Amino acid sequence: MSLPTTKRVNSAMLQNCIGETVRFVGEFKSRQHPVATFLASDKGSVTVVMNDTSQYGTKFVEVIGTVNPDRSITEMISTNFGDDFNMETYDAMVRKAQKFPSVF
Amino acid sequence: MSNYNRGGYSSSQGQGFVQDSFGNDGTAPKRTYIHTLRPVTIKQILAATQTQADGDFKIDGQDIGQVTLIAAVRNINQASTQNIYMIEDGTGVIDAKKYPSDHDDPEEVNSILLNTYARIVGTVKMFNQKQYIQVHSIRPVTNMNEVTYHNLEVLTVHVSATRSKVGGHGASSSSSAYGQHHNSMHGVTSTDTHMRGGNDDVANSISDFIDNHPGKASGLGAHRRDIIGAFAQRLGGEHKVNEMLKTMEEDGHLYVTEDDDHFNTTH
C-alpha cells in the first residue's frame, strides 16, 4: 500500500487538516457502527469512520485516514499502539513536531 | 541542552550499538569510516545532500554515518539475495534493503510483520538517483512509546545540529564575541566531538573558557585566578572552583602548564 505523507495530529489540529490524510493516535472509547469514538492526546474527542479492517485490539490505536469537513476521520488503516502508551509525552511531541516542517 | 552530545558524534552513545568497519556492499571501507549513528526521519534522508556522487550524505550540514529510524513496514519483498522492506513514517517512503547475514537473529528478522512498526539501523545509499537504506539491523517495535521517543530524539539532534554550531570537528571554538570573562560563558557550548569536561555542564564551560582565553594560543592556558573569577559565583565559592579544577585535571581534561596555577585543556 502506498501512503501519502501524513502528519501526526491531535484533536485541535484536525480543524486545519480537512481533506488531508493524517496520523491520529487515540484512546479507544467506544464503537457504534459505522463510527468509533476516541480520546485524543489533547483530551479532545474524535470520531473515526471505520472500514472493514478496523479492529482495535489495544487501549491505544493509531488511525491513518482522511479528515472530513466535520473533523471526523475516515479510516484507511489502523495499528494497535498498546495499552501503556504515554499520551502526554506524545501530545508534546506532536505539538513540537509542528514547528519543524523541514524534519516532519 | 548545552551539554547534549547526542548529535551522533560519539559512537559510544546511542543504542549501545557497536559498529565495525565492514563495508557490507562489498566495497572497501571508506578512507575514514564515520562512526556516528543519527536518528532521522525519512524526509531528512530524502532531503540529504551528497557533495559528490558516491560520496557521503549530509543532513543539516553534518556528514552522516549510519542512521536509525522508526517506520511502519508497508511492503516486504523477500528475494533470495535480499529482503526489501518498503517503509514509511508519515514524512516519506523509502526502501530498506537487507542482505542476509550470519549475524542475523532469524527470530527477529521473521518477526517483522506487514503494517507494524520497526526500528531500522542502516546506511543511506543511492541507486538510480533514488536513496535507499542499506539495513544493518531491523527489529520490531514492541513498545509504541519508542515512536514518541524517536521523534523527540530526531528533533533534539536536529536542533543541536542546526542551532548551537560553534566551530567544527575538533577545531577550537571560533567564538568571536569573547572579551569579558563572564559574558560568553553560558551561550558558548561546543557540540564538539570530545567529552571535554565529561558529562558536566560546568566542566564543559570551564574548558570553553580556557579555550577562549588569550593564554590558549601560547599554550600557557588560563590562570587559576581568572577561572575562579569567572566561575566562583556559579559554583558557590573559590574552593569549589579549585575542587572542580582538581577533578578535571585528574580526569585528564586539563593539565597544568608553567606552574600549578595555569590550566590548559587537553582536548
Side-chain angles (χ1 to χ4, degrees):
Chain A
M1 159 191 280
S2 167
L3 287 171
T5 55
T6 53
K7 212 162 61 171
R8 285 196 178 275
V9 298
N10 55 23
S11 72
M13 292 161 64
L14 289 175
Q15 182 60 50
N16 299 327
C17 298
I18 298 187
E20 290 174 32
T21 309
V22 299
R23 245 171 161 93
F24 168 76
V25 176
E27 186 185 334
F28 174 62
K29 283 302 187 186
S30 63
R31 69 196 284 163
Q32 175 100 22
H33 191 77
V35 300
T37 307
F38 285 83
L39 193 63
S41 53
D42 58 348
K43 310 279 201 276
S45 184
V46 174
T47 304
V48 171
V49 179
M50 302 184 283
N51 62 25
D52 298 334
T53 66
S54 302
Q55 34 173 318
Y56 309 132
T58 57
K59 182 170 168 191
F60 298 96
V61 180
E62 177 190 70
V63 174
I64 299 179
T66 46
V67 182
N68 303 312
D70 66 355
R71 283 177 288 128
S72 64
I73 301 176
T74 298
E75 175 177 328
M76 287 164 67
I77 189 168
S78 55
T79 310
N80 288 330
F81 253 49
D83 295 326
D84 68 344
F85 186 71
N86 188 312
M87 284 298 237
E88 283 83 26
T89 316
Y90 179 76
D91 198 65
M93 182 273 285
V94 165
R95 285 181 283 112
K96 263 292 180 229
Q98 282 285 89
K99 312 210 169 135
F100 294 89
S102 65
V103 176
F104 288 101
Chain B
M1 183 73 113
S2 59
N3 189 47
Y4 196 80
N5 267 339
R6 208 63 177 80
Y9 283 111
S10 166
S11 64
S12 62
Q13 298 185 15
Q15 335 280 317
F17 180 80
V18 176
Q19 303 179 18
D20 20 331
S21 55
F22 58 81
N24 56 2
D25 55 353
T27 61
K30 304 176 195 165
R31 10 84 210 166
T32 45
Y33 195 82
I34 305 169
H35 292 272
T36 61
L37 182 62
R38 174 127 184 211
V40 296
T41 60
I42 295 174
K43 184 170 191 170
Q44 286 179 301
I45 296 177
L46 296 176
T49 51
Q50 226 180 356
T51 39
Q52 40 176 181
D54 230 30
D56 292 330
F57 283 89
K58 282 184 194 284
I59 293 181
D60 294 334
Q62 281 179 3
D63 283 329
I64 49 172
Q66 297 215 344
V67 294
T68 177
L69 61 140
I70 301 253
V73 178
R74 298 298 181 196
N75 189 271
I76 305 177
N77 185 342
Q78 277 182 316
S80 51
T81 48
Q82 58 177 350
N83 287 352
I84 305 182
Y85 303 91
M86 186 178 86
I87 58 174
E88 64 92 21
D89 62 356
T91 71
V93 187
I94 196 169
D95 279 339
K97 304 188 186 179
K98 183 161 194 336
Y99 294 114
S101 131
D102 296 333
H103 302 286
D104 285 343
D105 175 356
E107 249 182 56
E108 211 168 60
V109 174
N110 291 334
S111 60
I112 305 296
L113 302 172
L114 211 50
N115 295 322
T116 61
Y117 280 84
R119 160 74 76 181
I120 297 116
V121 176
T123 322
V124 178
K125 300 254 189 239
M126 187 78 94
F127 181 70
N128 277 354
Q129 321 286 3
K130 210 171 65 157
Q131 287 104 330
Y132 70 93
I133 300 171
Q134 186 64 60
V135 173
H136 178 271
S137 77
I138 178 167
R139 62 158 176 83
V141 170
T142 47
N143 185 318
M144 301 316 283
N145 288 300
E146 193 169 355
V147 174
T148 310
Y149 167 78
H150 172 72
N151 284 349
L152 289 171
E153 199 183 43
V154 164
L155 278 176
T156 307
V157 170
H158 170 73
V159 167
S160 174
T162 53
R163 284 211 198 140
S164 51
K165 252 198 171 87
V166 183
H169 304 272
S172 61
S173 161
S174 57
S175 157
S176 50
Y178 181 73
Q180 334 291 326
H181 293 195
H182 52 273
N183 272 1
S184 53
M185 218 56 56
H186 304 286
V188 179
T189 306
S190 168
T191 52
D192 196 273
T193 314
H194 314 281
M195 301 286 269
R196 302 164 69 241
N199 268 320
D200 194 282
D201 213 20
V202 176
N204 274 344
S205 293
I206 292 179
S207 294
D208 285 340
F209 175 85
I210 296 174
D211 282 345
N212 291 321
H213 195 278
K216 176 72 182 172
S218 60
L220 187 60
H223 194 282
R224 184 189 291 274
R225 281 278 127 216
D226 289 342
I227 301 174
I228 288 174
F231 286 91
Q233 193 174 39
R234 182 165 162 191
L235 285 176
E238 190 178 306
H239 58 289
K240 289 272 186 215
V241 179
N242 285 330
E243 263 173 42
M244 174 64 86
L245 288 173
K246 184 152 178 271
T247 308
M248 286 177 73
E249 198 194 329
E250 281 166 3
D251 288 346
H253 299 296
L254 297 179
Y255 65 97
V256 292
T257 58
E258 182 183 84
D259 58 32
D260 283 345
D261 287 329
H262 285 90
F263 291 89
N264 202 355
T265 52
T266 52
H267 277 169

